[in-house]
Amino acid sequence: MTTDTQVGRRPVEYAPRSITALAAESVGGWTVKRYGVSALRDTPPEPVLDFARLAVRRSLPDGQPGGYGFSVVHEDEDGCYVVVGWWSPNRLILHTRTWLAGWDDLTAPAPAPGDATACVWELVAIGHERDAWVRNVLAPAEPDFAAYLAATVAGRY
């Protein structure tokens, strides 16, 4: 995979993939929920998770008070993808960046070309995050961030 890869051009047959909820991490004042998606095994290995951490650090805005976000790292035969999402200070807008890297260099995330955002497997976690955010942060009279952090999704989708 190179940075000029046309995401979404490679033929892929749909089959359920493993989605794993990983422990949340603190990054520069942000609390980031984490997910792993894999076409190859149950849970992505540490080098793939490190690639996701690097993408998160490159995505979250500097000079803004920390808040909450999430990452979805997805390993596939051709390389790795990471969607990083974070909630704006008004808590209503989700900002995202999507990154990719080939297996030859997981230390060099490149922005996804062609305005690519997420695939059907990554959208499982993203959809869950939207619903958990509304249910635990926006809808209650007082936000329950602990409940938001505890709400995760995992399984085969």
Side-chain angles (χ1 to χ4, degrees):
M1 177 185 306
T2 65
T3 57
D4 61 348
T5 297
Q6 291 297 308
V7 173
R9 302 282 185 182
R10 181 176 64 93
V12 177
E13 186 173 314
Y14 176 81
R17 295 189 179 183
S18 173
I19 299 177
T20 304
L22 306 165
E25 292 183 344
S26 179
V27 179
W30 292 83
T31 302
V32 179
K33 293 172 70 174
R34 303 179 318 132
Y35 295 94
V37 179
S38 182
L40 309 174
R41 63 196 109 224
D42 287 336
T43 302
E46 201 59 35
V48 173
L49 301 180
D50 287 341
F51 166 67
R53 289 179 181 104
L54 180 57
V56 166
R57 286 193 305 273
R58 289 189 179 181
S59 298
L60 296 175
D62 290 329
Q64 180 175 322
Y68 293 87
F70 59 86
S71 69
V72 184
V73 64
H74 186 170
E75 63 171 345
D76 202 346
E77 294 172 6
D78 62 340
C80 294
Y81 304 82
V82 179
V83 179
V84 180
W86 63 97
W87 298 102
S88 66
N90 75 2
R91 301 185 186 152
L92 297 175
I93 305 297
L94 176 67
H95 303 267
T96 63
R97 295 213 48 203
T98 302
W99 303 86
L100 55 87
W103 285 111
D104 56 328
D105 190 0
L106 292 178
T107 64
D115 300 320
T117 301
C119 72
V120 296
W121 295 282
E122 296 153 2
L123 284 170
V124 171
I126 293 169
H128 167 82
E129 285 302 301
R130 180 263 178 211
D131 293 345
W133 188 253
V134 170
R135 184 176 58 252
N136 296 296
V137 176
L138 299 179
E142 293 294 325
D144 187 345
F145 293 108
Y148 167 69
L149 292 174
T152 60
V153 63
R156 295 189 63 76
Y157 294 88

